[in-house]
Amino acid sequence: MINVAIDGPAGAGKSTIARSVAKQLGYIYVDTGALYRAVGVYNLRNNVDTKDEKAVAATLADINVELKFIDGEQHVILNGDDVSQEIRQPEASMAASNVSAIPAVRTFLFDLQREIASKNNCLMDGRDIGTVVLPNADVKIFLTADPEERARRRFLELQAKGDPSTYEEVLADLKVRDYQDSHREVAPLKPAEDSILINTTGNELEESIQIICDTIKEKING
């Protein structure tokens, strides 16, 4: 199986780019951030403080998260409920950042991620795919962009969904999440030593997709 790991900070465009690249290459796309978002959503629904390590860990026995691929699109199923839209709300983003810092949550989702990779040619994105989840991935890419650029992209996405958040709020949230993700004790966000760094600041979406596609093909084909 060929495994491609794409890591990077919030708002770098990982999901959008990775989904398109996977489609072009005929691989399964695995958005690991969606798994953490699902755990966050479960805790939000049950009024559990997502920063409370013990409280969150206690909910894991009641959580069943699945990734289903319908017509090539990933759907996130939480205890039988399709939460693919709900996990994209801003509060779910912050909850995901909080629960992802909890070792028990990472262990809980670790096996699921590796199992998918062992059975499929896949492109998996997240924060620690190349460093922890798939350290032997065939290709490792660290995708980033300037904070202001990432905030602008996220702001436009939220606007399109009718979200009232301002650009300033989105930028502030993104900076908080960057700090949390890169400073957590367990599996902090950082490039793998053998990853290829790609900065998409100023790029059009299609341009970034092409760069990632070409990089993967070149690496795999030697």
Side-chain angles (χ1 to χ4, degrees), residues 47-62:
N47 300 311
V48 176
D49 181 355
T50 54
K51 290 185 177 180
D52 187 329
E53 185 171 332
K54 288 185 178 179
V56 171
T59 68
L60 297 177
D62 300 318

Side-chain angles (χ1 to χ4, degrees), residues 3-166:
N3 293 163
V4 177
I6 297 185
D7 292 305
K14 295 187 304 295
S15 298
T16 304
I17 292 171
R19 187 180 293 109
S20 295
V21 171
K23 200 167 189 177
Q24 288 191 35
L25 297 176
Y27 293 2
I28 290 291
Y29 163 60
V30 184
D31 172 10
T32 62
L35 301 174
Y36 289 98
R37 286 169 179 265
V39 172
V41 163
Y42 181 88
N43 281 272
L44 289 175
R45 285 179 170 185
N46 290 276
N47 300 311
V48 176
D49 181 355
T50 54
K51 290 185 177 180
D52 187 329
E53 185 171 332
K54 288 185 178 179
V56 171
T59 68
L60 297 177
D62 300 318
I63 296 176
N64 180 51
V65 186
E66 299 174 271
L67 293 181
K68 291 188 176 179
F69 298 92
I70 303 170
D71 296 330
E73 288 293 318
Q74 175 185 274
H75 288 253
V76 184
I77 312 300
L78 172 63
N79 293 354
D81 184 15
D82 190 330
V83 293
S84 303
Q85 298 301 317
E86 187 175 352
I87 62 171
R88 297 301 165 192
Q89 299 305 311
E91 57 270 24
S93 296
M94 198 53 70
S97 183
N98 291 338
V99 302
S100 67
I102 299 172
V105 175
R106 305 199 75 83
T107 300
F108 174 69
L109 295 174
F110 186 75
D111 290 341
L112 173 60
Q113 295 170 36
R114 280 204 163 173
E115 181 184 1
I116 294 171
S118 71
K119 295 178 179 177
N120 301 277
N121 288 337
C122 77
L123 196 158
M124 189 176 290
D125 76 14
R127 301 289 192 279
D128 64 345
I129 308 306
T131 53
V132 177
V133 181
L134 300 177
N136 297 316
D138 301 274
V139 185
K140 298 178 188 177
I141 292 170
F142 193 85
L143 188 66
T144 190
D146 294 344
E148 292 75 16
E149 173 93 350
R150 291 186 281 123
R152 183 185 66 80
R153 294 173 185 170
R154 182 60 57 85
F155 172 64
L156 291 175
E157 285 177 13
L158 292 172
Q159 266 199 324
K161 295 175 182 176
D163 188 282
S165 300
T166 65

